[in-house]
Amino acid sequence: MRNKVFLMVGDSVAMNLFSALQCLIETFTRTKSREGPLFPGGPKTHAITAPQFNATFLRHPSSFLVQSIPDGDRTSASTWTVHLDRVHSEWSPVLRYTDYVLFGIGPWYTIADPKKRHYMVGNKERPNMHHLTAMQTALHTVARFTRSINYSGMPMLLTYSPVHNHVRVNSTAPELGCSSFMRPVAADALQGAEWATDAREARNAQIEVMQQAKEFKVLDVTALSAFRPDGHLQNHCESKKAVDCLHWCIPGIPDTWSDIIYSYVMEYM
């Protein structure tokens, strides 16, 4: 990563990964944090730099990757108008200045109330669009944009991270959430789990797009993460009332994802 710029764009799970990556970087070199427009015409961006290697790591939250407007608070439970054919103007100007970019989306499409998502293509709303089709349309838009600017770096996609909410695996966890899991589950325990089916379908929808966008490297983390309902924040919070079976503890599963990033970066170099 010497003399390189790495950008991570996506939802809160992608930002979860960025935090893990930052922790790993800080184990072997000093870093500095920066805020503000880092490139000509670019938006305000959070960055960490590793001066010893002249390396820069940027993160830009973008839960849909495409242009999106909330009707109220900027939360996943809010009503959003999502323009699936327009890349988000807050991260897209930065892309051409980077050497690596990792995109990550999923839950804001899959676990939200469909009535609170107004998907737009062109100037027309698509009220009956399936959430996986909407996610695929957004990914196609991102892939087209990388090609339109002749992006010379390495684009990557983080596949769907399982949401272990409402886990009911062979009566092992009759209560909602994932707090009863204190160790990884075996492969046969995944059979019949609704969340496992949802994650697999979302991942397959993403892979279908990536098969057409062959310039992308795929960090296929869905299956390996499915075995770890014990790795979520809810399992390690003082208050078990805080149900969070989406985000991951650090150190933890995102460190394995970081290892995959490292292998791809080394291959690309």
Side-chain angles (χ1 to χ4, degrees):
M1 293 297 293
R2 190 182 296 275
N3 303 318
K4 301 295 184 181
V5 178
F6 184 101
L7 170 65
M8 195 172 295
V9 184
D11 56 22
S12 57
V13 175
M15 298 304 102
N16 194 179
L17 172 56
F18 186 90
S19 296
L21 186 62
Q22 180 176 354
C23 289
L24 289 175
I25 294 168
E26 290 175 349
T27 61
F28 63 85
T29 188
R30 292 183 177 181
T31 64
K32 296 181 179 180
S33 294
R34 295 179 58 189
E35 294 277 356
L38 303 179
F39 303 100
K44 180 179 180 180
T45 306
H46 172 78
I48 60 169
T49 61
Q52 180 181 355
F53 302 97
N54 191 33
T56 302
F57 300 85
L58 312 174
R59 68 170 175 84
H60 197 96
S62 182
S63 298
F64 298 99
L65 295 185
V66 291
Q67 203 70 35
S68 48
I69 305 169
D71 182 13
D73 296 335
R74 303 179 67 86
T75 67
S76 60
S78 297
T79 298
W80 288 78
T81 299
V82 185
H83 295 273
L84 297 171
D85 56 345
R86 306 177 192 172
V87 292
H88 206 294
S89 59
E90 290 187 2
W91 64 260
S92 54
V94 178
L95 186 61
R96 65 179 71 249
Y97 299 103
T98 68
D99 301 287
Y100 307 92
V101 58
L102 176 67
F103 298 103
I105 55 169
W108 282 53
Y109 286 95
T110 62
I111 64 176
D113 182 350
K115 296 179 181 178
K116 294 187 175 183
R117 296 294 183 264
H118 301 298
Y119 295 123
M120 307 286 292
V121 177
N123 295 318
K124 295 183 179 180
E125 184 175 355
R126 303 297 175 90
N128 298 317
M129 180 176 280
H130 191 272
H131 61 269
L132 294 183
T133 302
M135 181 177 64
Q136 287 182 312
T137 305
L139 288 175
H140 278 302
T141 297
V142 170
R144 282 197 300 270
F145 177 72
T146 62
R147 291 191 290 270
S148 72
I149 65 170
N150 295 316
Y151 182 61
S152 60
M154 176 191 286
M156 296 174 276
L157 176 72
L158 179 74
T159 64
Y160 191 84
S161 173
V163 183
H164 291 95
N165 254 350
H166 310 298
V167 176
R168 299 181 186 276
V169 182
N170 298 330
S171 300
T172 303
E175 73 277 10
L176 299 180
C178 52
S179 61
S180 66
F181 289 93
M182 301 309 295
R183 57 179 58 87
V185 297
D188 59 353
L190 302 182
Q191 300 300 319
E194 183 177 353
W195 58 264
T197 300
D198 293 343
R200 184 168 56 252
E201 290 177 350
R203 175 263 181 197
N204 290 345
Q206 293 175 331
I207 294 297
E208 186 177 318
V209 176
M210 291 299 99
Q211 288 174 341
Q212 300 176 49
K214 298 186 182 301
E215 66 274 19
F216 275 71
K217 288 283 189 179
V218 177
L219 275 71
D220 196 350
V221 303
T222 308
L224 67 88
S225 305
F227 295 100
R228 297 301 306 274
D230 60 308
H232 291 290
L233 293 180
Q234 183 188 2
N235 297 331
H236 306 279
C237 290
E238 292 184 5
S239 173
K240 294 299 182 179
K241 295 180 180 179
V243 178
D244 188 346
C245 299
L246 168 63
H247 302 100
W248 303 89
C249 293
I250 302 172
I253 307 307
D255 294 324
T256 301
W257 304 351
S258 296
D259 288 341
I260 301 174
I261 295 175
Y262 176 76
S263 68
Y264 281 164
V265 168
M266 293 302 293
E267 177 186 328
Y268 183 71
M269 294 176 65

